[in-house]
């Protein structure tokens, strides 16, 4: 199977991040509180997901399956909360471009570390010179954006 549909989907998903920064920053301005804005973002998302699950009717895990899951599966919600609160605060101060660039570099640093160590059961992909050079170019790009 070709990976192009997945590559395009990942690109489109990434293209949504700056929009999320703008809209969540605007909401933070309206609510004048990052936590209130973040709560609203999560409530809207929860309603959308509730409707999608009701319509699609996917099989739901049992309570026992959830209890048996690794404890780390619950950290996603905590991380998402921190992310939303942070972008509400940071975007209005640093701007959409710099904030997005910093988020991307942060994501890439963590992704390369996770790949290198094969962390959390993921396939291992060593951090070689090519991958390190790609990261260095990303960092240089963010520095350039910050400088201008």
């Amino acid at each position: 199977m070709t990976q192009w549909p997945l590559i395009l989907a990942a690109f489109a998903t990434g293209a949504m991040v700056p929009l999320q920064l703008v809209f969540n920053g605007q909401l933070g301005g309206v609510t004048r509180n990052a936590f209130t804005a973040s709560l609203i973002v999560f409530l809207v998302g929860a309603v959308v997901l509730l409707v999608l699950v009701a319509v699609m009717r996917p099989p739901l895990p049992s309570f026992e399956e959830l209890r048996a899951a690794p404890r780390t599966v619950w950290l996603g919600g905590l991380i998402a909360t921190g992310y939303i609160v942070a972008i509400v605060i940071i975007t209005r101060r640093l701007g959409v471009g710099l904030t997005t660039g910093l988020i991307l570099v942060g994501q890439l640093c963590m992704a390369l570390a996770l790949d290198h160590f094969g962390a959390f059961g993921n396939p291992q992909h060593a951090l070689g010179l090519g991958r390190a050079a790609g990261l260095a170019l990303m960092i240089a790009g963010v520095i350039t954006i910050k400088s201008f």
Side-chain angles (χ1 to χ4, degrees), residues 38-48:
S38 300
L39 177 62
I40 292 168
V41 168
F42 276 102
L43 288 174
V44 170
V47 168
V48 169

Side-chain angles (χ1 to χ4, degrees), residues 39-110:
L39 177 62
I40 292 168
V41 168
F42 276 102
L43 288 174
V44 170
V47 168
V48 169
L49 289 170
L50 185 63
V51 169
L52 287 172
V53 168
V55 169
M56 297 173 69
R57 304 184 65 82
L60 299 175
S62 69
F63 179 73
E64 285 304 315
E65 289 171 316
L66 291 174
R67 259 191 41 188
R71 294 193 192 278
T72 53
V73 301
W74 306 108
L75 294 176
L78 181 64
I79 292 168
T81 301
Y83 173 76
I84 297 297
V85 170
I87 64 172
V88 168
I89 295 168
I90 296 168
T91 303
R92 295 178 68 80
R93 293 185 173 115
L94 295 183
V96 178
L98 181 57
T99 302
T100 301
L102 291 166
I103 287 169
L104 292 174
V105 168
Q107 287 176 343
L108 190 55
C109 285
M110 181 59 73

